Amino acid sequence: MSFARFRQRTFAEINLLRRAAVATAGRFFWLIPIVVPIIWLTANEFLLTIRLFLETVGVREIQNRLLGLPLVVIAIFLGLRIVAGEINARTLEIVYTVPGGASRVWTTKLLAAAAILLSTEVIMAVYLWFRFGPFPIEAMYGAFQCAIFFLVISMGFSALFRSEVSGAIVSCALLFLFGVFSGFGHTQHIWSPFFNPYADSFLSDTSVLVNILRNRIGFAIVIGILVWLAFLRGERREKLLGG
């Protein structure tokens, strides 16, 4: 493949992702990685100043409190828009005429949503790195994994119920349950998407490493299964169109 053709194909893929981002998050999708970090980090700086809910900032607070929570909220919003957004916009029939099938559309929109989440996280992480000092890069992965989990959860349930509202209710309920029972990452529960290896623990370093691997690998498998199930539902044209 010549360089010119490679460049043309690369630009075409980037443009496709941009269109998918517009379809998922709106024309001003690029504002999400800018506005969300400004609002969230400014609010937490204020809470840190008055010592309300947030008195200190360490590795324990960075993964879920400062990185994970805003990403999860964005992820739920974007996930609702991947399939149910097409239903509400009455463009679902057009999706099924796309070469490659509806799964190609869902995949592209899912990748666009993940790119928005990743860019938002990177901007926040850079600020936190210089503001509070270095922290493990693995903490970024933990926050991103949690966001991707809720992204596919909201995508799947909104497709199942054919409704953004119903998908949002179930996703927020799961967010509340996982958050309450795991303390939003203040305890080391490997079954939780908010699993935080940097929380206070009396476990040895080896045990913590084993728990990290169990959680990360386990949730990677769970996320893959959820995406597969959501795509199966998304391919059922007669169900999504007929109600």
Side-chain angles (χ1 to χ4, degrees):
M1 180 185 296
S2 65
F3 176 75
R5 187 170 181 179
F6 173 77
R7 184 179 62 179
Q8 182 180 11
R9 183 172 181 178
T10 301
F11 281 126
E13 293 294 334
I14 293 175
N15 186 53
L16 182 62
L17 284 176
R18 183 188 65 82
R19 291 178 179 274
V22 170
T24 304
R27 292 176 54 191
F28 300 102
F29 69 90
W30 51 271
L31 283 176
I32 294 178
I34 299 174
V35 174
V36 171
I38 291 176
I39 295 176
W40 181 251
L41 295 175
T42 300
N44 279 277
E45 286 286 0
F46 175 73
L47 295 177
L48 186 62
T49 301
I50 64 176
R51 297 187 178 279
L52 179 64
F53 301 121
L54 187 65
E55 297 183 358
T56 59
V57 172
V59 180
R60 172 179 173 176
E61 288 75 27
I62 285 176
Q63 176 177 305
N64 289 318
R65 171 66 184 266
L66 297 178
L67 287 178
L69 283 179
L71 291 180
V72 166
V73 173
I74 298 172
I76 291 176
F77 164 73
L78 295 177
L80 298 173
R81 298 282 302 157
I82 292 177
V83 178
E86 300 290 347
I87 298 175
N88 292 344
R90 301 183 184 279
T91 56
L92 195 59
E93 290 192 30
I94 299 176
V95 170
Y96 289 112
T97 64
V98 173
S103 291
R104 185 183 180 187
V105 177
W106 312 142
T107 301
T108 306
K109 296 180 74 173
L110 192 61
L111 291 175
I116 293 174
L117 291 172
L118 183 60
S119 57
T120 304
E121 181 180 29
V122 168
I123 291 175
M124 289 193 294
V126 169
Y127 173 83
L128 294 173
W129 183 282
F130 287 102
R131 174 67 174 85
F132 301 107
F135 55 87
I137 301 300
E138 199 278 332
M140 291 182 60
Y141 177 81
F144 186 71
Q145 175 187 265
C146 184
I148 293 297
F149 173 75
F150 281 100
L151 174 68
V152 298
I153 280 288
S154 61
M155 175 183 69
F157 278 109
S158 62
L160 179 63
F161 297 120
R162 303 180 66 252
S163 169
E164 292 182 23
V165 175
S166 299
I169 292 174
V170 177
S171 300
C172 289
L174 289 175
L175 172 61
F176 176 78
L177 291 175
F178 277 121
V180 168
F181 288 108
S182 67
F184 285 99
H186 286 291
T187 55
Q188 292 187 3
H189 295 306
I190 63 173
W191 49 264
S192 172
F194 290 104
F195 169 73
N196 186 358
Y198 311 103
D200 296 335
S201 175
F202 297 102
L203 299 176
S204 65
D205 292 341
T206 302
S207 298
V208 172
L209 179 59
V210 170
N211 286 342
I212 291 175
L213 292 176
R214 286 176 177 174
N215 176 268
R216 303 316 188 213
I217 295 174
F219 267 91
I221 295 174
V222 169
I223 289 171
I225 294 174
L226 290 174
V227 170
W228 175 66
L229 291 174
F231 279 21
L232 280 182
R233 174 64 176 179
E235 285 288 352
R236 300 188 67 179
R237 177 175 180 173
E238 69 284 353
K239 290 291 185 181
L240 292 183
L241 289 175

